[in-house]
Amino acid sequence: MDEWNEVPMGRVTVRRPVRKLTADGRRRRADLLAAEEPLELRVGGKALAVTMRTPGHDVELAHGFLLSEGVIASRHEVFAARYCDGVDDQGRNTYNVLDLTLAEGVAPPETGVERNFYTTSSCGVCGKAALDAVKLKTRFAPGESSFAVTPEVLAGLPDKLREQQRVFASTGGLHAAGLFRADGSLLAVREDVGRHNAVDKVLGWALLEGRVPLSGCGLLVSGRASFELVQKAAMAGVPFLAAVSAPSSLAVELAEENGMTLVGFLRGSSMNLYTGDQRVVEPAAV
């Protein structure tokens, strides 16, 4: 098997029986759920992190995570990615352990990178020291990008994202992240039960496609904009982050520190511009 290929997965959704209660009574039916399984990421055989994720696009997720943590900046800094260990009670590979081998000369992750993804639903890092650490660590400069979009383009993005959320349409249980061009076209969309994983997957896709730094793209997320999502975007050189829900105070501060544009509450023609509003322009200026 090619080490860069994703393993075909049949676990993206799971069918379970449910008893549905309505005003008309109750009945039994089958319900389709978004699959959630653990993924252990290893680097050079050493455990690095565990995340609860929707199976699929695991290699992208791993690359995106290493990119957002400042470990790598291009696909050439990873020599190989292999599924290993992880078997079920019948001895079959669960594809829940992924080991990445870094290219020669690439420094391994620092000890501080080791963590459990599921502990990061809230910020996890706070204060000016954290902002300085991120600003110093990023290899790209999103604030230098001339990327700009119109309000009309932004208004149409959530519907375009939803149209490509195939698993969400059948389960209602996934977050999504998408990279978009100035004309509003979507380059790639990824779904996951974790919003951080969805972002890592789409950034990992861009890294494997040789598109990083993403100075000519924006990132759209289906939920709120947390500090960590802004951090991930900054680490990939993304100058523009739009969210359909609210940002946190530290997310706004970090976006401002990095010269990024941050849009929140993007719902139809209504939106809040928190930072970098010079990138939201009239059509003639794009």
Side-chain angles (χ1 to χ4, degrees):
M1 181 185 72
D2 189 331
E3 293 165 349
W4 293 106
N5 286 342
E6 295 284 351
V7 174
M9 299 277 183
R11 306 192 303 270
V12 176
T13 59
V14 176
R15 191 174 296 276
R16 298 283 297 181
V18 63
R19 176 173 290 179
K20 187 175 181 64
L21 306 182
T22 67
D24 298 326
R26 60 182 67 191
R27 60 188 176 90
R28 288 192 175 275
R29 49 164 288 189
D31 193 32
L32 205 59
L33 306 177
E36 182 177 29
E37 296 186 12
L39 175 67
E40 178 182 329
L41 295 181
R42 300 178 182 176
V43 174
K46 181 180 179 181
L48 178 66
V50 175
T51 180
M52 299 303 296
R53 98 305 189 189
T54 301
H57 303 291
D58 294 333
V59 173
E60 293 177 352
L61 190 160
H63 279 74
F65 175 65
L66 293 182
L67 169 67
S68 65
E69 293 292 340
V71 178
I72 62 174
S74 77
R75 66 166 293 171
H76 304 295
E77 294 182 289
V78 175
F79 176 73
R82 300 184 182 92
Y83 287 98
C84 58
D85 294 346
V87 295
D88 61 18
D89 55 5
Q90 298 182 24
R92 297 173 299 190
N93 197 324
T94 61
Y95 299 107
N96 284 340
V97 181
L98 185 64
D99 191 8
L100 278 70
T101 302
L102 299 179
E104 185 177 355
V106 179
E110 297 179 1
T111 304
V113 174
E114 297 175 4
R115 62 183 175 90
N116 292 326
F117 278 55
Y118 51 77
T119 65
T120 63
S121 59
S122 57
C123 170
V125 286
C126 299
K128 191 66 167 62
L131 295 179
D132 288 343
V134 172
K135 185 170 62 176
L136 293 173
K137 188 170 62 173
T138 184
R139 306 189 193 188
F140 310 114
E144 297 178 1
S145 171
S146 60
F147 179 80
V149 296
T150 66
E152 290 75 18
V153 163
L154 287 172
L157 285 173
D159 286 343
K160 290 182 179 180
L161 185 70
R162 180 63 61 86
E163 289 170 2
Q164 294 198 31
Q165 290 184 250
R166 291 175 296 178
V167 182
F168 178 88
S170 58
T171 66
L174 293 182
H175 293 281
L179 292 170
F180 62 91
R181 300 184 181 93
D183 63 2
S185 58
L186 292 174
L187 283 169
V189 172
R190 293 291 181 265
E191 294 180 279
D192 200 274
V193 289
R195 63 181 184 275
H196 303 91
N197 292 340
V199 170
D200 278 338
K201 285 180 177 181
V202 81
L203 295 183
W205 171 86
L207 188 81
L208 290 169
E209 291 289 318
R211 294 177 178 269
V212 174
L214 288 161
S215 57
C217 295
L219 175 65
L220 174 66
V221 295
S222 61
R224 66 184 181 89
S226 64
F227 170 91
E228 191 167 12
L229 297 193
V230 176
Q231 177 186 10
K232 290 178 181 296
M235 294 302 290
V238 177
F240 199 116
L241 175 61
V244 300
S245 192
S248 68
S249 62
L250 199 56
V252 174
E253 186 175 347
L254 181 60
E256 190 170 50
E257 288 276 336
N258 281 279
M260 298 167 59
T261 298
L262 179 58
V263 174
F265 292 106
L266 177 57
R267 299 167 184 176
S269 59
S270 176
M271 64 196 76
N272 291 350
L273 309 182
Y274 291 92
T275 63
D277 57 0
Q278 76 278 2
R279 293 195 179 94
V280 181
V281 298
E282 294 305 314
V286 175

